[in-house]
Amino acid sequence: MKKHSARVAPLSACNSPVLTLTKVEGEERPREAAAGAADAPSAGGAGGAEGGSGKRRLRCCVRVTPAQVRKALWGVAMVVCVCSSWAGSTQLAKLTFRQFDAPFTLTWFATTWNCLFFPLYYIGHLCKNPERQTPKQRFRECCRFFGDDGLTPKVFLTRVAPFGLLWILTNYLYLQALRKINTTDVSALFCCNKAFVFLLSWIVLRDRFMGVRIVAAILAIAGIVMMTYADGFHSHSVIGITLVVASASMSALYKVLFKMVLGSAKFGEAALFLSIVGSANFVFLSFVPVILYFTRVEYIGSLANVPWLYLCGVAGLLFAFNVLVNFGIAITYPKLISLGIVLSVPVNAMVDLYTCEIHFNTVRLIAVFIICLGFLMLLLPEDWDQCIIQLSTKLRKRDEPAEGAGEAATATGLNWRGRARTSMSTFAH
């Protein structure tokens, strides 16, 4: 199987709650070489040296290409779209439960929409790729992701079914938490997912130890405790917080196991995997909503009482969110997609403030803030400390020519005055 430069892991695509984003193997940001011309000292006096140093510093610190600007602009659009789809699906799911209190049925319905991933990918393949393949050929090529034998029953039971179950559990627990507590707390607490991913990766995958990420994990755990304390440890609130933390744990387990068992996938392979999960959900789990209906656990009076518009709205927003998260890295930076996810927390807070009776006390605000801070700290690259050291070193080197030019000018002035005094004294004698 040939290696490709861009490979993604469809881990964040675990419907709405799985927020850990797809990663591109290789460099996540372009590394620019320092310009040799910028190191040359400028001619002229101290003022000219200072101006030249300022220009060189500007060229050193703000070195962008048209491709980077285009990626950044796409990133701004992606931030808005990811934030809107994630916050919108959470708020709409909360509204749906007022008329349709069936979290598993909603999970099953929304997951079934994943069947559309591979057809949409194939349409994009026809539009972009000059070497067009038939759907059967493309399907067989993407099936190589599962091994040389393709998608066999054994591979399905050992490598696909477990992730499908984790997907369902993640979403079901997340929706159950929405029934217990407000959307602001749910979306903020689920951001702890990234901290759990780091801890599991460090233990299971032997990932690199990073002190800043340990601090972020501690902040996430402290935020969970403070969020529980904010409501006074009432049973209703504790159950909701436990559900959303369990959902975040399931999504973290999904990501780490996927990385350990399957590794990473190309865009077509990711689309096929998600379509298989959606199809398996429809084929093998359709009996569960029926059983829940007849046992009156999730009872619906009649089909006319089902708010189909709300259900399709939630499923559509979740599907859009998954498409943006999994395939948005083709046009922008993964960090910007993550930024859109964490920005959904203040959006949900603003909506809750005007639509429901929520009390933002000091403890709750601090808890939300430190959880979001921990999430952002986990977005720092592994060599973030080295980048800061290199940047400060470059800035010092840019200042040295200006200081040297200033000292040279001062020394020249002193020499000239000394010579003048010597001439005057000789003339007087």
Side-chain angles (χ1 to χ4, degrees):
M1 191 171 172
K2 296 181 180 179
K3 286 186 178 180
H4 295 261
S5 59
R7 297 175 69 84
V8 299
L11 308 173
S12 56
C14 185
N15 227 327
S16 62
V18 177
L19 302 181
T20 47
L21 302 181
T22 53
K23 295 182 179 180
V24 180
E25 289 188 349
E27 292 186 348
E28 291 189 0
R29 63 183 187 282
R31 298 179 181 270
E32 302 290 345
D39 293 333
S42 61
E50 186 178 353
S53 175
K55 291 179 182 177
R56 285 193 298 273
R57 187 183 300 123
L58 183 62
R59 286 199 296 269
C60 169
C61 297
V62 188
R63 177 175 270 245
V64 294
T65 62
Q68 290 174 330
V69 173
R70 186 166 57 251
K71 249 188 169 182
L73 292 176
W74 274 113
V76 173
M78 288 292 296
V79 167
V80 175
C81 293
V82 168
C83 179
S84 303
S85 59
W86 179 238
S89 61
T90 302
Q91 292 290 339
L92 195 57
K94 186 78 171 178
L95 290 175
T96 304
F97 289 141
R98 297 178 182 177
Q99 304 179 30
F100 184 74
D101 192 13
F104 187 88
T105 304
L106 181 57
T107 301
W108 171 85
F109 182 75
T111 304
T112 303
W113 281 50
N114 285 358
C115 299
L116 301 175
F117 266 101
F118 190 75
L120 287 179
Y121 163 76
Y122 183 73
I123 293 173
H125 165 75
L126 292 179
C127 297
K128 288 286 186 181
N129 201 327
E131 299 179 0
R132 298 179 179 178
Q133 297 176 319
T134 62
K136 189 175 182 179
Q137 291 174 334
R138 197 64 191 163
F139 177 83
R140 285 181 176 177
E141 183 175 337
C142 293
C143 278
R144 295 177 186 172
F145 169 66
F146 299 105
D148 296 334
D149 297 331
L151 184 62
T152 61
K154 180 181 178 181
V155 169
F156 175 80
L157 291 175
T158 57
R159 296 194 174 189
V160 178
F163 296 104
L165 291 176
L166 286 174
W167 181 300
I168 295 295
L169 279 173
T170 300
N171 287 274
Y172 176 68
L173 293 171
Y174 186 86
L175 294 176
Q176 280 283 11
L178 283 175
R179 297 173 64 240
K180 303 291 184 180
I181 55 179
N182 59 74
T183 57
T184 303
D185 293 351
V186 172
S187 58
L189 287 167
F190 198 84
C191 287
C192 297
N193 158 268
K194 215 165 183 62
F196 298 157
V197 169
F198 164 69
L199 293 175
L200 284 175
S201 299
W202 181 39
I203 297 170
V204 178
L205 302 179
R206 306 293 182 183
D207 278 1
R208 177 186 172 188
F209 173 83
M210 287 183 63
V212 67
R213 292 184 178 175
I214 288 292
V215 173
I218 293 172
L219 288 176
I221 296 171
I224 294 171
V225 176
M226 292 183 68
M227 191 73 75
T228 309
Y229 176 76
D231 288 330
F233 293 96
H234 297 302
S235 60
H236 202 70
S237 175
V238 170
I239 291 173
I241 292 172
T242 303
L243 288 170
V244 70
V245 171
S247 176
S249 303
M250 291 297 104
S251 69
L253 186 62
Y254 179 100
K255 178 177 176 63
V256 174
L257 287 180
F258 192 99
K259 187 70 175 177
M260 184 173 64
V261 176
L262 296 175
S264 55
K266 294 179 289 184
F267 289 115
E269 296 164 353
L272 177 62
F273 181 85
L274 295 172
S275 292
I276 292 172
V277 169
S279 302
N281 168 78
F282 179 77
V283 172
F284 297 108
L285 295 180
S286 295
F287 70 93
V288 178
V290 177
I291 292 175
L292 294 176
Y293 172 78
F294 284 108
T295 56
R296 293 183 175 269
V297 175
E298 294 185 358
Y299 182 73
I300 308 164
S302 65
L303 291 178
N305 296 332
V306 177
W308 292 108
L309 188 61
Y310 282 8
L311 262 66
C312 292
V314 173
L317 286 171
L318 293 178
F319 180 76
F321 172 78
N322 288 318
V323 170
L324 293 171
V325 162
N326 285 278
F327 306 114
I329 61 171
I331 58 175
T332 188
Y333 301 101
K335 305 297 184 185
L336 292 178
I337 300 176
S338 298
L339 186 62
I341 294 170
V342 75
L343 285 178
S344 66
V345 177
V347 171
N348 281 323
M350 293 298 296
V351 175
D352 285 347
L353 187 63
Y354 289 101
T355 58
C356 63
E357 296 180 0
I358 180 173
H359 179 55
F360 286 104
N361 54 29
T362 305
V363 177
R364 175 177 271 111
L365 290 175
I366 294 175
V368 171
F369 174 76
I370 64 174
I371 290 174
C372 294
L373 178 62
F375 186 93
L376 294 175
M377 290 173 66
L378 288 165
L379 297 181
L380 291 173
E382 292 186 357
D383 57 344
W384 67 276
D385 51 344
Q386 298 177 5
C387 293
I388 294 176
I389 294 173
Q390 290 176 2
L391 180 62
S392 61
T393 303
K394 286 181 180 180
L395 291 178
R396 279 200 304 270
K397 286 182 178 180
R398 297 302 179 271
D399 290 336
E400 286 176 1
E403 293 174 359
E407 290 174 359
T410 306
T412 304
L414 290 174
N415 291 337
W416 183 83
R417 291 191 190 97
R419 289 175 183 173
R421 290 194 188 97
T422 304
S423 305
M424 292 284 292
S425 60
T426 304
F427 180 76
H429 285 294

